[in-house]
Amino acid sequence: LCVCLALTVFAFFHAKSAYCCGGKCAISYADDAKYIAALLFGVQFWDFLSDVSFAYNLPDKGENIIFYLSVLFIAVPWFMNILFLLFYRYQWSSNAMVSNWLREHTPKLVFVTMVSGGAQAAIELMNSRIFGLEVFEMGLSRMQLLETQKFKVLLTTMLENIPQIFCTVFWMMQLGHFDDFAMASLISSACSVILVIAGTILIKLDNLCDEQIELV
């Protein structure tokens, strides 16, 4: 998470880089660079890693129902995120620019999805246009990115984050005290849910503004 935060800050200042020509300097500003994408990917990676750590560090795994439930709510969303990515890859290929990008960078997209457990965060990162690198210029349209947000609510929030919150709370109730791994999983899952809610509200407001502009 700290690394992704540092990358976000660095990407922000990189987008405002200065260039000089003929003794005159100017500032280049990349308005379409999404600096926050690296941070959001970091949150997703932290959430996934904390859930895995919570399940791994549970005692008496063979007799602990919380362990089986936790693994289930990690493995099923992870597998479904990979399937979602591979399925939509063929739909995105209809765009020539995206198709060229996918031929070159599909393994990277699949890899970052696998290590973070979330396809939507990986897709946003690959469409962030940070650093001016081709790997971060996938080229999906705004509507295509909004569509991936809907699947994040189902595949990650509903199938992983919310169930993990109940698992960690129930485990700490059984223990009768706080547990470091359970608290880390609880906080990361709660942060992910809050970010999804905030993102959904911003999308609704953005759509409302677009409708008002069209009416004017």
Side-chain angles (χ1 to χ4, degrees), residues 65-209:
I65 186 62
I66 298 296
F67 170 74
Y68 292 109
L69 289 174
S70 183
V71 170
L72 177 68
F73 293 129
I74 292 171
V76 171
W78 183 87
F79 185 68
M80 292 184 68
N81 270 277
I82 300 298
L83 288 180
F84 160 78
L85 189 64
L86 296 177
F87 175 76
Y88 267 84
R89 175 181 179 273
Y90 294 100
Q91 293 194 12
W92 296 332
S93 297
S94 59
N95 181 294
M97 176 182 174
V98 178
S99 180
N100 291 334
W101 188 94
L102 288 171
R103 281 196 294 269
E104 185 74 21
H105 302 291
T106 290
K108 301 181 186 71
L109 179 59
V110 173
F111 174 75
V112 294
T113 299
M114 292 176 67
V115 298
S116 66
Q120 198 270 340
I123 292 168
E124 287 284 353
L125 179 65
M126 294 305 190
N127 282 274
S128 62
R129 302 179 68 85
I130 58 177
F131 304 122
L133 298 177
E134 182 186 344
V135 69
F136 297 123
E137 296 185 7
M138 184 176 177
L140 292 183
S141 68
R142 177 172 174 269
M143 293 305 298
Q144 288 172 320
L145 289 174
L146 289 178
E147 190 173 2
T148 65
Q149 179 72 20
K150 298 176 184 178
F151 283 93
K152 176 181 173 64
V153 174
L154 173 63
L155 299 181
T156 303
T157 306
M158 300 299 295
L159 294 181
E160 180 182 355
N161 296 143
I162 293 178
Q164 286 292 345
I165 289 174
F166 282 105
C167 286
T168 53
V169 170
F170 184 70
W171 172 244
M172 286 188 290
M173 289 176 63
Q174 281 190 330
L175 288 178
H177 59 81
F178 291 116
D179 176 82
D180 291 340
F181 293 104
M183 283 300 300
S185 178
L186 175 62
I187 293 171
S188 63
S189 295
C191 287
S192 294
V193 172
I194 292 171
L195 286 174
V196 168
I197 294 173
T200 302
I201 293 173
L202 289 175
I203 290 172
K204 294 292 185 182
L205 292 175
D206 193 31
N207 291 337
L208 181 61
C209 289

Side-chain angles (χ1 to χ4, degrees), residues 14-49:
H14 180 271
K16 293 184 177 181
S17 58
Y19 65 92
C20 298
C21 180
K24 296 181 179 180
C25 294
I27 299 295
S28 63
Y29 190 87
D31 289 320
D32 56 350
K34 300 176 183 176
Y35 324 111
I36 200 68
L39 181 60
L40 295 178
F41 178 80
V43 172
Q44 173 61 42
F45 178 71
W46 170 46
D47 179 29
F48 181 69
L49 185 62

